[in-house]
Each structure stands twice: as structure tokens, then as C-alpha cells.
Amino acid sequence: MGGTDGRPIRHPGSCRPAGATGHACAGRRQRETEARLDSGQAMSEFSGVKQPEFDTMTSKHTQTASQLQELAQALHKELQSAGLDAAPAARLRQLAGRVTTQAEDLRRRQKLVHELQRQKVTFGRSTPKGSFLEVPDNLEAAQGLLDGTLAGRAALKAADGDRRALGELEKYASRTGDPEFVKSFLRTLGALGVTRVPGAIAMQLRDARNRQDADGVTQLSSQGKNVLGMLSAALAKGTDPKSPAYAGADFLKGLVNEGRAEHKAGDTKYSGYQAQALIWRAHDGKPPFSKEFMEVVGRDVIVYEHEQRKDQWAAAKDPLGRYVKGKQLPIIDLAGAFGLGTLLRPGTQAGSPGIEPQSAVVDNLFHAAKSSREASQTLLNHTPAGWKESVLDYLLTTRWSASRYLNDYKPIRDMLTIATTGQDATSKKLAAEMIKTLSDQISGAFSKDAENLEIKNRYLFDRYAPLGYSLGRAIAANIDQLSHLLRNQGVFDKVAAKDMSYALVLATADDSAFDALIRAQTEHMRAAFGSVPPVGLNASNAGRLGFTKADVKRYDLDGNGWVDKANVIQALTDRTVAEAHPFSHIVEIRRQVLIAQGLDDKKADEALKDMVGSALGLLPVPGAKYVGELAKGAFGELLSKGYDKLAGAAYDEIGKQVAQRMSEQRRSLDETHQTLADNRLAVERLTKQMLATAMLNTGLLDDADMKGQTFATGTPPKIKSFTEMSPQEYSDFLEWAQDKGGTNDVFDRFRNTFRTTSEVDDYLDLEIPPSSGGGR
């Protein structure tokens, strides 16, 4: 054990019995540490103490401190009376102070040791040279050991139905941030106890409802939520090998064994996973569940439900079996089995009127998995032994009817979204798999060779509609693949352009997903414009401007040694036409799915109108290679508010952040959005904004005359900061930029490509001949 000044306190008997050597003490501790590690238990540093000697040492330290204080006072008095320097007395007083502090520390430790022993919490070891008690070297760790053990014992009593113990356990809910507490708590409770506590809470709550004990229901609901939240936080830490609270691999295996086992609460039998599922659903995501938890427990939960339900599910798909067996039912968690609704679910009101919602074991696992991308991906990116399909494919096909039964899609949507929207290889793999699987599932819902998209099987379309948002977010995170598929006829893993088109039908049917897709494509287009070189690029300034000599040769189409205005306009034209294809695909498929659902396809989506109104696309892409001097003045302080930190974020996330950055002006730059009639006009307005930004950045407007323009200020005239422009001034700027920058033809090329929808017709098997004036 260490002293308060950080130095170890040495005393005969404080670490070893009389006659033992320091090496022997260190060796003993090392062997004990290794023994614990071999058994799968994580631990902090412990010291072995012989309690009688420890008590004696504490008493003598206290006595010595008092004597030193008295001696210092006497010495000071004598030296002062003799007229001598009192410095020796001062040094003695300092020594007395240090010893007093050490004595106080030892008394706190002694008190804790006695309490640990009284509660039978300490770990003992008998040797031929004496009996030792192991005490954590750190006081906080020792307190955690004590509290964690007491909390674990209270939990075990609660598991046996002791209502008072449940209240006692609730007092420790705030201690889950202490690793020593968590380790001691879980070690005392064990996997069996972890499983039994939710069962006892659920049973008591059910019984209180049956007795119509309103006060009891309210109290148990509140206590139950707190305790389940405590268990979820402890479980997340205790099953993460990276956490100092890790309870070991055997504890993880124990959760599986108890999860598959049959348990009883009163006269009611239930599977352990039904009880553990209440803990998963209570999780607030902090800390997230680990990859290892999902590998060992999560994957087994998926397999367990499949084993338990596969025969019934197979029968439910047969017409006769459906008549006898009914719907494809998941394994309901214990709250659902007891009819408790949301009484044990955080953030909900107890006793909500109406039909009591239910939740399933696997869906509660989804809720826990969504706490981190790694956890979600570990669960989904796996094919169990003997299976011919991955977990992701299984959830979207074989098990999907079971998910639909509960009509609670948030857990699986959240999990799918976080698992498929990263920029890592696993996110992309899972995104492609989801796109392909859902495309295959819904493609048969539509009529072939119709003039407009028609839904011939509404049940099939509606069946997967709840996944439209997650699907749209996955496509948005991989928006570059849409361009790749359409322009190069390539593939995204196993996804071809036709697959992507049907996936977009499902995705764009969801308003929020369509919003994410448009934002993503807007950011993709801005990124493309951000790569266009500035006027005047040459071999001597290429490095300074973020380009290479090879770039100069690439863009110098007339071979005069530098990039002139015509070269820049050509580069802009190439990128504009390329970006028009995916914009066309997204917007036209959105139009078609609205028609198919009998909705008004002429009305512009409010979210898209808001993007135009907030001037989304106006700022250059974060981390742009070059921003012209004229542009810096126009963008003003918007570029200095952490904007460049967005570089590297997912496309749709950049779009949201940029819109937020623009909205900080608390005014609209663009009044035109108020009169937009449909989505195509809105996208064209966005394109004008992005082209204006590109022209500012590349210097196409540097020599343009601004004299007399409403959006200019100063002498010589400069463009006002956009934060200072009125809507009319901004509109004047866009018109002036397109005219003076020489990009009227560029925008016309975009518009013509954007309004050509024959590719959508082909991929969705539609027969709509292009026509002039109508945009088709």
C-alpha cells in the first residue's frame, strides 16, 4: 500500500510476515496475480497484510505522529528561549505533519480493512508463516471492492424476490463508472445472478399489476428501470476486454450458458435470454457493448432464436400451417411475456393507455448493438456454422416477418444505419449486401412495361417500406458508387445499376432517406467541383496550389503551358455532366414512386426546398485545394468556424453540417425556394449555387466587372460576404456569375442531362418516351 505522498510505506508485517524477504513478498504477489489471470479474472494491484501486525502498525504510526508533534513544539520552545535558530523545530514539525498524514491514511485503510472483513469481502490466504488478507493498494479500489460486493449481494437477494434489497441495490446505480466496483459486482453476482435479477423484477411487477397495486407498480417500474440501467452499464464494461472492469472470458461464456438455460420466477419458467434481453434494452449506449460481447453472446442469441423457432416459422409459411400456426412469431422478452409493455423500458411513462407494446429478445439485442459501429458490424457481418446465409441476409429475409410482427422497427433500423454508413471496408460490404438483398426482395412488387411505375403487389412493397430510411442512408454514404454504376456500368460488390435502381425506389419512398440522398449527391458534386483547377495553374505554382505537374498537363488542353479560362470551363462542363446523371436518377425515381403511391409528384419536397433556401452547396468542399481571393471575401467568416474540420465526413453528414453553418445567419439567402414547383427545379437551383462557388474558387470571375452591382461593395468593388447579402442581392449575384463566368452553356448541359430520364425507364422496365418541355 502507498502513502499519501506517493511513496510506499514499509513496516514489518505490512507486506510480509517477519523474516520474509522483499523478493519473497513480490514473488508471492506475482504468483497470485498470475493465478487470477489464468482463471480469467482481471484485477488491480493488491497487497497482502497480516491484520494484527497491520493494526499494530497503524496504532504505532498514530502514536508516533502525536509524539513527534509534541517533540516539535517542545524543541521550538527551547530553541526560542535560548535565542537559537528554530529551523530544526520547523523541520521536525514538517516530519510530524507527514507522519500524521500517513497515520490518517492508515486509519482509513484500517477502517476499510475491518469493514471488508466484517462483510466477509476480503480475500484471504493462509501460509505456514501466517494468515494474510489481500487489500487493494488504492483506497478507491478498496471502496469499489466493498461496494461492488455489497451491491452484488443485494442483487442476489433481489433475485430471490426481496423487495427491500431491490431498493438497496438501486442506491449503487451511480457506481458503474468505477471499474473495481463493476468487477466486484459482476464477480459476486455471476452470470446466473445477472440473468435472475431481471426475472425477479419482471415477476414482481407483473404480480403488482395483477393485484392492481398502482403504487407498487409505479415504484417497481422506477426501481426496475434504474437497476436494469445499472446492469446494462456494468455488463457493457465487464464484457469488454479493453476495459479495466473486464470480468473475463468465462463470464461471457457463462452468459451464454445461462441465456440458453431455463429459469424460474415464482411458478413461471423462462429462458435466460428473455431476462437478459431486458438489460440490453435498458442500455443507453454508454459505454457501448464490445465486439467480443457480440461475438460470444450476440451471435449466439441469433442462432438460439432460429433453433427455437425454425420449425414454427417454416410451418407459418405454408398455407395450411399459417392457418394453424398463425404469424411468424419472435421470442418475446420477459416484459412482453408478462404483459408489462414499456414499464421497464427507459424514457417511457408507466401505465401508458392503449395496446401494450411488446419487444423481442433479438430486437433488444439490436438496441444494444447499435451503441457502436463495431458491435453492429460484428453481429451482422457473420455467417453462423452450418448456415448458407449471413446474419444480415437472414434478418432481411428469413426473419423479417418476425421483426414486422412487433411493429417496432427502430432497433433494427438504427443498427443497420450505423453498420452501413461508415467509410470502412466492412460498412461498404454490408451496405452493398443490404442494397442487393432488398432490391431482390421488392423488385417483384412492380408492374413491368408500364407507362409509369405501378405497384402491383402493395403488400410486398409495404413489407419492406420500414427499411427505406436505413437503405437510403447506406446508399447516401456510398453515393460515389451510384455515379460509378451509371457511368461505367460497373458493380458495387454484387450490386449492378438495375439493383441500385430498385433499391432507390424503396429508399426514395421515405422522405428522410430522400433528403439524405440529395444532400449526399450535392456534396458529391461539390467535391467534384472542388477538384477543378484554377485559372493560371502552371508548373511553377502547381505545388503551392495543391496540384501536380501532371495535373497541369491534364488540364492544359491547348498545350500552351498553363490552364486558361477555356480549360477551366471545360473541366467544369465534364464534372457537371457527370454529376447530372445520379441527380437525375434519384429525382426521377422519387417522382415515379410518388406516382406509384398515388401522391402528388409535382410538389417540391420541403426538405429539398429548405436546402435551396439555406444555400446548401454554396461553400466550397471542406479541405478544397484552392479558394480564390474573391471567394474568401464572399464566404467571409463562414470558412473560419471549423468548416474545414468536416473534411473526411460522410457525404450526407457534410451536407447537414454545411446547411447548419449557413443557417446560423438566421436569414434566408434565397427567396426563390418559396416558389419552387417540383424537385427538379430545386436541384437546378442547387446546381446554380454550386457552379457559382466553383467559379469564385477557380478565378473565372476575377476579371468580371462588378461596377453598379447590388451585391458589390467598396472601391474597387468586391463581392459582399454572403452573410450580408439580401435575398435579392444573392439572386442578382447568381445571375451575374452565370453570365460573366461564361457558364450558361455548362448549366444548359447539366439541365439537358438531368432531365433525360431514359436510364430510369430502362432499369425499371418503364415505357415512357422522352418528350420536350416536360422534362422527359
Side-chain angles (χ1 to χ4, degrees):
M1 295 191 298
T4 56
D5 60 356
R7 292 176 295 179
I9 299 174
R10 297 300 182 192
H11 188 281
S14 66
C15 182
R16 56 185 181 268
T21 66
H23 292 295
C25 179
R28 176 181 60 77
R29 291 178 62 181
Q30 177 65 24
R31 288 192 298 275
E32 292 174 7
T33 299
E34 291 173 352
R36 280 193 179 79
L37 293 176
D38 289 342
S39 67
Q41 295 182 23
M43 62 172 287
S44 298
E45 288 299 314
F46 281 72
S47 289
V49 299
K50 291 182 68 175
Q51 188 169 344
E53 283 87 341
F54 184 65
D55 289 342
T56 299
M57 178 182 68
T58 303
S59 176
K60 287 185 176 180
H61 245 73
T62 302
Q63 182 180 1
T64 301
S66 176
Q67 291 173 342
L68 285 172
Q69 287 282 8
E70 293 175 0
L71 180 59
Q73 290 176 5
L75 181 59
H76 183 271
K77 183 177 180 179
E78 291 294 333
L79 292 173
Q80 193 176 44
S81 298
L84 298 175
D85 183 8
R91 289 195 296 272
L92 186 59
R93 187 180 295 112
Q94 290 176 349
L95 176 60
R98 289 200 299 270
V99 175
T100 298
T101 300
Q102 291 176 351
E104 291 172 351
D105 179 69
L106 285 171
R107 285 197 298 272
R108 288 197 300 271
R109 293 171 188 264
Q110 182 187 38
K111 181 179 179 182
L112 195 53
V113 166
H114 287 174
E115 182 64 14
L116 287 167
Q117 188 181 40
R118 187 180 73 81
Q119 296 288 350
K120 295 183 173 59
V121 172
T122 53
F123 303 96
R125 173 178 288 271
S126 296
T127 72
K129 295 184 179 181
S131 297
F132 293 83
L133 297 175
E134 284 185 1
V135 183
D137 286 347
N138 180 282
L139 273 176
E140 289 74 16
Q143 191 66 52
L145 171 64
L146 174 62
D147 291 348
T149 304
L150 296 180
R153 290 174 183 172
L156 290 174
K157 290 181 181 178
D160 291 332
D162 188 333
R163 282 279 298 273
R164 290 176 297 179
L166 189 63
E168 182 66 24
L169 176 59
E170 188 183 15
K171 297 177 182 178
Y172 293 98
S174 63
R175 294 301 312 278
T176 53
D178 179 357
E180 291 297 337
F181 172 86
V182 171
K183 280 193 297 185
S184 301
F185 177 60
L186 293 179
R187 179 168 51 192
T188 303
L189 196 52
L192 175 59
V194 168
T195 306
R196 291 182 63 231
V197 170
I201 295 173
M203 183 193 70
Q204 293 177 41
L205 194 51
R206 179 198 61 181
D207 292 347
R209 288 194 71 176
N210 290 343
R211 296 193 306 270
Q212 296 184 340
D213 178 4
D215 291 340
V217 168
T218 300
Q219 182 184 31
L220 281 166
S221 175
S222 175
Q223 289 179 328
K225 291 176 184 179
N226 290 336
V227 169
L228 289 175
M230 172 186 175
L231 284 169
S232 73
L235 200 60
K237 286 188 175 182
T239 55
D240 182 2
K242 298 177 183 177
S243 170
Y246 183 50
D250 288 343
F251 182 77
L252 271 170
K253 295 175 183 176
L255 290 172
V256 171
N257 293 335
E258 297 302 336
R260 284 178 167 266
E262 183 180 271
H263 299 265
K264 289 184 66 177
D267 296 329
T268 303
K269 295 180 180 180
Y270 59 90
S271 75
Y273 280 143
Q274 285 182 285
Q276 291 181 25
L278 300 186
I279 300 175
W280 309 332
R281 193 57 180 254
H283 196 51
D284 65 358
K286 300 175 183 177
F289 275 94
S290 68
K291 172 176 70 73
E292 287 76 12
F293 178 87
M294 291 301 160
E295 283 178 343
V296 177
V297 180
R299 290 174 177 177
D300 187 71
V301 171
I302 300 292
V303 173
Y304 172 76
E305 184 192 54
H306 179 255
E307 292 171 351
Q308 298 295 313
R309 287 287 193 262
K310 61 182 179 181
D311 292 339
Q312 295 95 317
W313 290 356
K317 293 180 180 179
D318 177 81
L320 179 59
R322 189 179 304 117
Y323 177 77
V324 176
K325 297 286 186 180
K327 296 181 179 180
Q328 184 176 343
L329 304 179
I331 295 180
I332 303 299
D333 68 17
L334 210 51
F338 286 176
L340 301 179
T342 59
L343 286 172
L344 290 176
R345 194 179 300 176
T348 55
Q349 296 296 319
S352 300
I355 299 175
E356 294 286 8
Q358 291 181 317
S359 47
V361 169
V362 169
D363 296 85
N364 289 2
L365 179 68
F366 298 159
H367 174 82
K370 74 175 185 179
S371 59
S372 81
R373 176 162 288 127
E374 185 180 47
S376 297
Q377 292 179 345
T378 299
L379 193 63
L380 297 172
N381 189 32
H382 171 65
T383 301
W387 285 28
K388 296 181 179 179
E389 58 185 345
S390 69
V391 170
L392 175 59
D393 188 69
Y394 163 78
L395 295 178
L396 298 181
T397 56
T398 305
R399 192 189 181 274
W400 184 238
S401 290
S403 289
R404 295 185 70 238
Y405 173 76
L406 296 176
N407 197 34
D408 178 14
Y409 301 103
K410 188 176 186 339
I412 191 169
R413 274 197 298 239
D414 290 348
M415 178 184 64
L416 289 171
T417 300
I418 191 172
T420 59
T421 53
Q423 295 301 301
D424 57 286
T426 303
S427 290
K428 292 180 179 297
K429 176 181 180 294
L430 291 172
E433 185 177 352
M434 180 165 68
I435 291 168
K436 176 63 175 172
T437 299
L438 292 179
S439 174
D440 290 345
Q441 292 301 308
I442 70 155
S443 60
F446 306 100
S447 297
K448 305 295 183 181
D449 303 324
E451 289 188 359
N452 283 303
L453 191 68
E454 293 181 2
I455 302 176
K456 70 176 182 181
N457 187 335
R458 187 72 193 212
Y459 167 79
L460 184 56
F461 178 79
D462 290 344
R463 175 180 170 82
Y464 286 100
L467 293 178
Y469 176 73
S470 298
L471 180 61
R473 288 289 308 277
I475 298 173
N478 295 279
I479 199 69
D480 55 322
Q481 293 296 332
L482 181 56
S483 298
H484 171 66
L485 294 176
L486 295 177
R487 294 185 62 202
N488 305 321
Q489 298 301 307
V491 292
F492 174 32
D493 201 348
K494 296 180 181 179
V495 176
K498 190 178 187 71
D499 302 316
M500 182 65 83
S501 298
Y502 276 108
L504 281 170
V505 171
L506 185 61
T508 57
D510 183 282
D511 293 347
S512 296
F514 175 67
D515 175 11
L517 286 162
I518 289 294
R519 289 181 185 275
Q521 180 53 32
T522 300
E523 295 308 311
H524 190 272
M525 188 172 187
R526 290 197 320 125
F529 285 173
S531 68
V532 173
V535 174
L537 178 70
N538 57 46
S540 63
N541 63 19
R544 177 170 56 84
L545 297 179
F547 293 86
T548 65
K549 292 181 180 180
D551 290 330
V552 176
K553 291 183 178 180
R554 175 186 173 191
Y555 294 113
D556 178 17
L557 302 179
D558 47 15
N560 60 8
W562 66 290
V563 177
D564 59 23
K565 185 174 181 179
N567 299 150
V568 174
I569 291 177
Q570 183 59 55
L572 268 178
T573 301
D574 294 341
R575 283 156 180 74
T576 300
V577 172
E579 297 301 314
H581 281 90
F583 259 131
S584 175
H585 222 67
I586 294 169
V587 174
E588 176 59 17
I589 290 178
R590 167 70 169 179
R591 195 177 81 87
Q592 286 293 330
V593 77
L594 290 177
I595 292 173
Q597 295 180 96
L599 302 175
D600 180 8
D601 70 292
K602 296 297 182 183
K603 182 180 178 182
D605 286 270
E606 289 301 318
L608 185 50
K609 289 174 68 173
D610 288 343
M611 293 180 210
V612 176
S614 61
L616 181 65
L618 183 64
L619 296 178
V621 64
K625 293 181 178 180
Y626 179 84
V627 178
E629 292 302 317
L630 201 59
K632 291 178 182 177
F635 300 137
E637 64 179 9
L638 292 172
L639 286 178
S640 64
K641 293 184 177 180
Y643 173 78
D644 277 345
K645 293 180 181 179
L646 297 175
Y651 286 114
D652 54 337
E653 183 61 26
I654 293 175
K656 292 175 183 177
Q657 293 293 329
V658 171
Q660 175 63 31
R661 198 73 73 195
M662 294 299 298
S663 68
E664 290 175 0
Q665 303 167 66
R666 302 185 183 277
R667 61 187 290 187
S668 172
L669 271 180
D670 197 342
E671 291 179 343
T672 301
H673 75 285
Q674 298 175 5
T675 60
L676 291 176
D678 61 34
N679 288 333
R680 286 176 294 196
L681 293 175
V683 169
E684 288 171 359
R685 187 68 172 182
L686 281 175
T687 301
K688 287 183 178 180
Q689 292 173 175
M690 286 185 280
L691 279 172
T693 295
M695 287 185 283
L696 282 172
N697 285 343
T698 56
L700 285 175
L701 299 173
D702 283 354
D703 298 328
D705 183 15
M706 287 185 285
K707 186 176 181 180
Q709 297 295 336
T710 61
F711 53 83
T713 184
T715 304
K718 297 288 184 182
I719 296 177
K720 288 182 181 179
S721 169
F722 287 128
T723 58
E724 299 174 1
M725 287 187 188
S726 69
Q728 183 58 52
E729 288 171 343
Y730 177 64
S731 184
D732 292 343
F733 162 75
L734 291 181
E735 184 178 350
W736 171 86
Q738 189 171 330
D739 180 54
K740 299 300 182 181
T743 58
N744 282 308
D745 289 342
V746 177
F747 179 74
D748 287 342
R749 289 286 302 277
F750 173 85
R751 190 176 189 277
N752 291 336
T753 304
F754 174 60
R755 289 186 174 251
T756 300
T757 60
S758 57
E759 284 184 337
V760 172
D761 304 342
D762 292 340
Y763 290 132
L764 297 183
D765 298 315
L766 304 178
E767 292 187 347
I768 310 176
S771 61
S772 61
R776 302 198 59 79

